[in-house]
Amino acid sequence: MTNKDQSDTFVPDEGLAPASTILPAAAGPLEELSAPARSQWRDVWDQFKTHKGALIGGILFILIVVSVYLGPFVWDIDPTKIDIRARNQGPNWEHPFGTDQLGRDLLARMMAGGATSVSVGITAMLLALFLGSFVGVLAGFFKRLDGPLMRLTDLFLALPLLPLLLVMMLLFREPLSATFGLEQGIFILIVVAIGITSWMPTARIVRGDVLAIKEREFVMAARSIGTGNSQIITRHILPNVLSPIMVSATLGIATAIITESALSFLGLGFPPDFPTWGRLLFDGTDYLQQYPERVFWPGLAISLTVLSVNYLGDGLRDALDPRIRGR
């Protein structure tokens, strides 16, 4: 072999690693870069699952909602049916929760009352959430509206809640009942009364977050390219204050259910033949010593619902906060 042939011959260096061992290592970062991005809601769910109390609370709240709305299709006894011969019975196979002083099935009345109480809680929460978010965004985004709106919020916070609700019930009960009917009129009155007296904490929380978010770089960049205030609010402000709004929503349901139960317990809610958990609790106090289960069942339902909603709100707060998520 000539020198030229030797110089043209390629001799691999034994110190170099084979190409088969290099390619997978080089392909790793490429695979990570080409992997699809994780959804934000997937991150929220992963964080929410780590909060065991919130997970149990969410499952329990879903079970309660399904029971009160779909239960009457399974247990189809009329909650207003009177059977004097079966009155004051304890729990048995025919009436698992027993019967009241008129022979009405307590399980059917618990489901009907739960549907009313949960409906009042959710509807009043939506009204309070809308009012609080609207006032909070306006006060935080527009500096000239901050002072008047916050003073209005302080005024509502200074009002005594229960006496104000009692006055509203006494003043508007008859006109609304005459206009919309007894049950619908009282439902509208209770929802409006609870909604307009419980929006203030949401407004203060949303205002504080809006004051911080509107000074962020992405908002200033949107303003620099001529984006209008309405688009900045809807596209940049509201999505970033979703966390406190969702937490206020869950806690608002619990507050509304407790307030409705208190009004019904005082005899200022729905009529006696229209069951709610508060009304059932009020009716059972007269028979507390003879039939304590009449107070136990509605009290347990209210307590479990409020407790599950509170734990659910704690979990949503942690999951929706990007500063906590991932820890």
Side-chain angles (χ1 to χ4, degrees):
M1 183 181 291
T2 64
N3 294 334
K4 183 177 180 181
D5 294 335
Q6 292 177 355
S7 61
D8 292 340
T9 304
F10 176 77
V11 180
D13 189 354
E14 295 180 355
L16 297 176
S20 59
T21 62
I22 298 176
L23 290 178
L30 295 178
E31 291 178 356
E32 293 178 0
L33 292 175
S34 61
R38 288 173 57 88
S39 171
Q40 179 182 1
W41 293 108
R42 178 66 180 273
D43 294 337
V44 170
W45 170 245
D46 290 341
Q47 178 67 31
F48 182 80
K49 288 190 300 183
T50 62
H51 198 300
K52 301 302 182 184
L55 196 60
I56 296 174
I59 295 173
L60 181 59
F61 183 69
I62 292 175
L63 289 177
I64 292 173
V65 171
V66 170
S67 299
V68 299
Y69 285 112
L70 300 182
F73 294 100
V74 179
W75 190 260
D76 56 353
I77 297 179
D78 187 0
T80 61
K81 180 183 178 181
I82 297 176
D83 186 5
I84 299 299
R85 293 174 298 179
R87 63 176 183 172
N88 295 329
Q89 290 186 0
N92 54 64
W93 290 109
E94 187 176 0
H95 304 285
F97 284 8
T99 58
D100 63 3
Q101 69 276 10
L102 298 178
R104 296 173 294 190
D105 184 76
L106 286 179
L107 177 58
R109 291 179 66 78
M110 279 289 298
M111 290 187 290
T116 304
S117 297
V118 173
S119 298
V120 168
I122 294 176
T123 311
M125 175 271 298
L126 291 175
L127 178 59
L129 205 63
F130 172 76
L131 293 175
S133 301
F134 182 74
V135 172
V137 169
L138 290 181
F141 193 80
F142 299 101
K143 187 175 181 180
R144 63 180 180 275
L145 297 178
D146 189 15
L149 289 178
M150 285 299 99
R151 300 296 77 75
L152 178 65
T153 304
D154 294 337
L155 175 62
F156 272 85
L157 285 172
L159 294 175
L161 179 59
L162 188 57
L164 180 61
L165 289 173
L166 297 179
V167 171
M168 293 179 65
M169 296 297 295
L170 293 175
L171 289 179
F172 301 105
R173 185 187 182 96
E174 295 299 330
L176 288 176
S177 298
T179 304
F180 298 99
L182 184 58
E183 288 83 5
Q184 274 193 330
I186 296 178
F187 180 85
I188 294 174
L189 177 57
I190 291 178
V191 166
V192 172
I194 296 175
I196 66 175
T197 55
S198 56
W199 56 268
M200 296 80 70
T202 303
R204 295 173 69 94
I205 295 173
V206 171
R207 170 189 173 268
D209 283 0
V210 171
L211 286 174
I213 292 172
K214 75 175 184 177
E215 303 298 334
R216 300 284 297 274
E217 291 81 1
F218 61 90
V219 177
M220 298 176 65
R223 195 188 301 276
S224 66
I225 63 175
T227 307
N229 290 332
S230 60
Q231 292 181 339
I232 291 177
I233 291 174
T234 55
R235 294 183 181 180
H236 301 288
I237 299 296
L238 285 179
N240 285 280
V241 297
L242 183 63
S243 174
I245 289 177
M246 292 293 292
V247 175
S248 298
T250 55
L251 299 180
I253 295 176
T255 303
I257 291 176
I258 292 177
T259 305
E260 184 277 326
S261 301
L263 290 174
S264 297
F265 184 81
L266 295 174
L268 295 174
F270 291 92
D273 58 340
F274 194 81
T276 66
W277 284 340
R279 169 59 66 175
L280 294 176
L281 193 63
F282 174 75
D283 293 340
T285 54
D286 295 334
Y287 304 89
L288 180 60
Q289 294 183 350
Q290 297 89 348
Y291 310 102
E293 66 274 5
R294 296 190 189 177
V295 177
F296 174 78
W297 294 121
L300 179 65
I302 295 172
S303 300
L304 288 179
T305 304
V306 173
L307 187 63
S308 64
V309 169
N310 285 333
Y311 274 109
L312 183 61
D314 290 340
L316 287 176
R317 178 196 59 200
D318 296 344
L320 292 172
D321 191 345
R323 295 168 296 182
I324 300 178
R325 194 188 310 146
R327 291 185 181 179

Short mmCIF file of all heavy atoms in Angstrom, two decimals, residues 3 39 42 116 123 127 132 137 176 184 201 207 217 237 266 277 280 301:
data_model
loop_
_atom_site.label_atom_id
_atom_site.label_comp_id
_atom_site.label_asym_id
_atom_site.label_seq_id
_atom_site.Cartn_x
_atom_site.Cartn_y
_atom_site.Cartn_z
N ASN A 3 1.86 5.41 0.29
CA ASN A 3 1.60 6.44 1.30
C ASN A 3 0.31 7.19 1.02
O ASN A 3 -0.40 7.60 1.92
CB ASN A 3 2.78 7.41 1.37
CG ASN A 3 4.03 6.73 1.87
OD1 ASN A 3 3.95 5.74 2.61
ND2 ASN A 3 5.19 7.25 1.47
N SER A 39 -51.61 21.97 29.53
CA SER A 39 -52.71 22.90 29.68
C SER A 39 -52.69 23.52 31.08
O SER A 39 -52.29 22.87 32.05
CB SER A 39 -54.05 22.18 29.46
OG SER A 39 -55.13 23.00 29.80
N ARG A 42 -54.87 21.66 33.34
CA ARG A 42 -54.26 20.40 33.80
C ARG A 42 -53.39 20.66 35.01
O ARG A 42 -53.39 19.88 35.98
CB ARG A 42 -53.45 19.79 32.66
CG ARG A 42 -52.73 18.50 33.03
CD ARG A 42 -53.70 17.38 33.34
NE ARG A 42 -52.99 16.15 33.68
CZ ARG A 42 -52.56 15.27 32.78
NH1 ARG A 42 -52.78 15.49 31.48
NH2 ARG A 42 -51.95 14.17 33.16
N THR A 116 -84.19 23.47 47.35
CA THR A 116 -84.48 24.89 47.53
C THR A 116 -83.30 25.63 48.14
O THR A 116 -82.90 26.71 47.66
CB THR A 116 -85.72 25.06 48.44
OG1 THR A 116 -86.82 24.35 47.87
CG2 THR A 116 -86.08 26.52 48.58
N THR A 123 -77.84 30.76 43.38
CA THR A 123 -78.34 31.96 42.71
C THR A 123 -77.89 33.23 43.42
O THR A 123 -77.48 34.20 42.78
CB THR A 123 -79.87 31.92 42.62
OG1 THR A 123 -80.30 30.66 42.11
CG2 THR A 123 -80.40 33.02 41.71
N LEU A 127 -75.36 36.33 41.99
CA LEU A 127 -75.68 37.76 42.05
C LEU A 127 -74.61 38.53 42.82
O LEU A 127 -74.13 39.58 42.36
CB LEU A 127 -77.05 37.96 42.70
CG LEU A 127 -77.51 39.41 42.89
CD1 LEU A 127 -77.57 40.14 41.56
CD2 LEU A 127 -78.85 39.46 43.61
N GLY A 132 -69.98 42.12 43.10
CA GLY A 132 -68.66 42.32 43.67
C GLY A 132 -67.57 42.43 42.63
O GLY A 132 -66.70 43.31 42.74
N VAL A 137 -63.63 45.57 39.83
CA VAL A 137 -62.89 45.88 38.61
C VAL A 137 -62.94 47.37 38.31
O VAL A 137 -61.92 47.99 37.96
CB VAL A 137 -63.43 45.05 37.43
CG1 VAL A 137 -62.85 45.55 36.11
CG2 VAL A 137 -63.11 43.57 37.61
N LEU A 176 -93.93 41.34 46.41
CA LEU A 176 -93.37 40.34 45.51
C LEU A 176 -94.21 39.07 45.46
O LEU A 176 -94.34 38.44 44.41
CB LEU A 176 -91.94 39.99 45.93
CG LEU A 176 -90.89 41.08 45.67
CD1 LEU A 176 -89.54 40.66 46.23
CD2 LEU A 176 -90.77 41.36 44.18
N GLN A 184 -92.40 31.83 44.46
CA GLN A 184 -91.46 32.53 43.58
C GLN A 184 -91.11 33.91 44.11
O GLN A 184 -89.95 34.34 44.03
CB GLN A 184 -92.06 32.66 42.18
CG GLN A 184 -91.81 31.44 41.30
CD GLN A 184 -92.13 31.74 39.85
OE1 GLN A 184 -92.99 32.56 39.55
NE2 GLN A 184 -91.45 31.06 38.95
N PRO A 201 -67.11 41.72 50.30
CA PRO A 201 -65.77 41.09 50.36
C PRO A 201 -65.20 40.77 48.99
O PRO A 201 -63.99 40.94 48.77
CB PRO A 201 -66.04 39.82 51.19
CG PRO A 201 -67.26 40.12 51.99
CD PRO A 201 -68.10 40.99 51.12
N ARG A 207 -60.65 44.26 43.75
CA ARG A 207 -60.02 45.57 43.58
C ARG A 207 -58.52 45.50 43.87
O ARG A 207 -57.70 46.06 43.14
CB ARG A 207 -60.67 46.59 44.51
CG ARG A 207 -59.92 47.93 44.59
CD ARG A 207 -60.49 48.82 45.68
NE ARG A 207 -59.66 50.00 45.86
CZ ARG A 207 -58.66 50.11 46.72
NH1 ARG A 207 -58.33 49.06 47.48
NH2 ARG A 207 -57.97 51.24 46.84
N GLU A 217 -46.41 44.36 33.05
CA GLU A 217 -45.86 44.71 31.74
C GLU A 217 -46.81 44.39 30.60
O GLU A 217 -46.90 45.15 29.63
CB GLU A 217 -44.53 43.96 31.54
CG GLU A 217 -43.39 44.43 32.42
CD GLU A 217 -43.47 43.82 33.81
OE1 GLU A 217 -44.41 43.03 34.06
OE2 GLU A 217 -42.61 44.13 34.66
N ILE A 237 -57.40 41.61 32.39
CA ILE A 237 -57.66 41.80 33.81
C ILE A 237 -58.50 40.65 34.37
O ILE A 237 -58.11 39.97 35.34
CB ILE A 237 -58.35 43.15 34.06
CG1 ILE A 237 -57.45 44.31 33.60
CG2 ILE A 237 -58.69 43.29 35.54
CD1 ILE A 237 -56.15 44.43 34.35
N LEU A 266 -86.07 31.58 61.60
CA LEU A 266 -86.77 32.66 62.29
C LEU A 266 -88.21 32.81 61.83
O LEU A 266 -88.94 33.66 62.34
CB LEU A 266 -86.03 33.98 62.10
CG LEU A 266 -84.64 34.07 62.74
CD1 LEU A 266 -83.95 35.37 62.35
CD2 LEU A 266 -84.73 33.95 64.25
N TRP A 277 -84.13 23.41 54.34
CA TRP A 277 -83.41 22.85 55.48
C TRP A 277 -83.60 23.71 56.73
O TRP A 277 -83.72 23.18 57.83
CB TRP A 277 -81.93 22.73 55.14
CG TRP A 277 -81.64 21.58 54.23
CD1 TRP A 277 -82.42 20.48 54.02
CD2 TRP A 277 -80.48 21.39 53.41
NE1 TRP A 277 -81.83 19.63 53.12
CE2 TRP A 277 -80.64 20.16 52.73
CE3 TRP A 277 -79.34 22.14 53.18
CZ2 TRP A 277 -79.69 19.67 51.84
CZ3 TRP A 277 -78.37 21.66 52.30
CH2 TRP A 277 -78.55 20.43 51.64
N LEU A 280 -87.15 22.98 58.05
CA LEU A 280 -87.20 21.67 58.71
C LEU A 280 -86.52 21.72 60.07
O LEU A 280 -86.98 21.09 61.03
CB LEU A 280 -86.53 20.61 57.83
CG LEU A 280 -87.23 20.29 56.51
CD1 LEU A 280 -86.40 19.30 55.69
CD2 LEU A 280 -88.62 19.73 56.75
N ALA A 301 -77.20 18.08 57.23
CA ALA A 301 -77.13 18.46 55.81
C ALA A 301 -76.53 19.85 55.64
O ALA A 301 -75.68 20.06 54.77
CB ALA A 301 -78.53 18.39 55.20
#
